[in-house]
Amino acid sequence: MTQRAVFIDRDGTLSEEVGYINHPSRFRLFPYAGAAIKQLNKHGWLAIVTTNQAGVARGYFAEEMIATVHESMTFQLEQSGARLDAIYYCAHHPSVGEPPYRFDCDCRKPRPGLISRAAGDFKIDLSQSWMVGDRYSDVEVARNAGVKSALVLSGYGRGEWENQSSNWKHQPDLVAENLLEAVAAIVRQTSAD
Ligand SMILES: [Mg+2]
Ligand SMILES: [Zn+2]
């Protein structure tokens, strides 16, 4: 049996956009993040984080730092009774740094590699799934992976939406104030089907 998933961007969507998170002390989970993930858990959606972390390729922090930050994020979400099903990240950059991180990979968003890897691992029906993020590259990765897109106005979202969206080649399927509202709309829309 296939499952449906909501793929969730990390910085600016689950947590404050503060630039590179080179230490867990910089990581600020949004206060509603736990409630949003809990809604997905409750309604039987997989909740999967997909994040670009090119700070590794750029030499700002080691790859192990990503795991440390994600342990902290997972712990904080568990405190509010929320469970992430998986976290997929890309630590590459096509033109900066040294191999193996300097690499023209298939997983740096807006390329669909992280989502397609998750789809294989979890037998996900992508046509029934969503990507939620705060940047146009999240809208594009949704399109490239064959999932629907929700743009949130947290993080870079409001500025990108107000200043740039008229030039976007593709528009998001949904625009929401934040992750909690995006999840509410996704759950509502699909239980009405
Ligand atoms: Mg983001
Ligand atoms: Zn990559």
Side-chain angles (χ1 to χ4, degrees):
M1 201 184 96
T2 57
Q3 309 192 72
R4 52 192 185 176
V6 175
F7 298 98
I8 305 163
D9 169 54
R10 196 189 82 183
D11 302 334
T13 303
L14 261 178
S15 61
E16 297 276 2
E17 173 56 68
V18 296
Y20 292 99
I21 307 281
N22 61 357
H23 191 274
S25 61
R26 279 170 60 73
F27 185 79
R28 299 268 178 276
L29 198 65
F30 282 128
Y32 49 77
I37 305 298
K38 241 167 107 169
Q39 279 299 307
L40 295 174
N41 297 154
K42 185 178 140 197
H43 288 92
W45 290 78
L46 294 172
I48 298 177
V49 172
T50 58
T51 177
N52 283 357
Q53 294 300 328
V56 176
R58 293 177 181 278
Y60 297 160
F61 48 88
E63 188 171 1
E64 293 71 42
M65 182 56 66
I66 299 177
T68 308
V69 171
H70 288 168
E71 275 168 32
S72 165
M73 173 173 78
T74 302
F75 177 75
Q76 290 179 57
L77 287 169
E78 280 171 358
Q79 298 289 96
S80 48
R83 187 197 75 250
L84 288 176
D85 293 284
I87 303 171
Y88 291 83
Y89 64 84
C90 167
H92 307 116
H93 192 283
S95 59
V96 178
E98 300 296 331
Y101 298 113
R102 177 178 175 153
F103 176 51
D104 191 19
C105 64
D106 72 346
C107 53
R108 180 172 161 83
K109 295 185 289 181
R111 290 185 177 173
L114 298 180
I115 291 179
S116 36
R117 202 184 309 158
D121 291 346
F122 288 89
K123 296 191 172 44
I124 293 167
D125 180 352
L126 293 176
S127 70
Q128 300 292 316
S129 297
W130 286 77
M131 171 76 210
V132 184
D134 68 314
R135 304 200 75 167
Y136 181 56
S137 58
D138 296 304
V139 175
E140 283 285 288
V141 72
R143 173 129 189 145
N144 293 336
V147 303
K148 287 182 270 260
S149 61
L151 180 80
V152 287
L153 300 180
S154 54
Y156 283 105
R158 191 174 308 278
E160 290 210 0
W161 180 241
E162 288 182 7
N163 305 326
Q164 293 169 282
S165 63
S166 57
N167 299 319
W168 290 352
K169 198 167 152 211
H170 306 111
Q171 296 295 317
D173 295 293
L174 177 75
V175 179
E177 198 60 32
N178 58 41
L179 178 64
L180 187 58
E181 293 197 7
V183 164
I186 290 168
V187 167
R188 196 165 55 229
Q189 199 167 320
T190 43
S191 42
D193 287 349

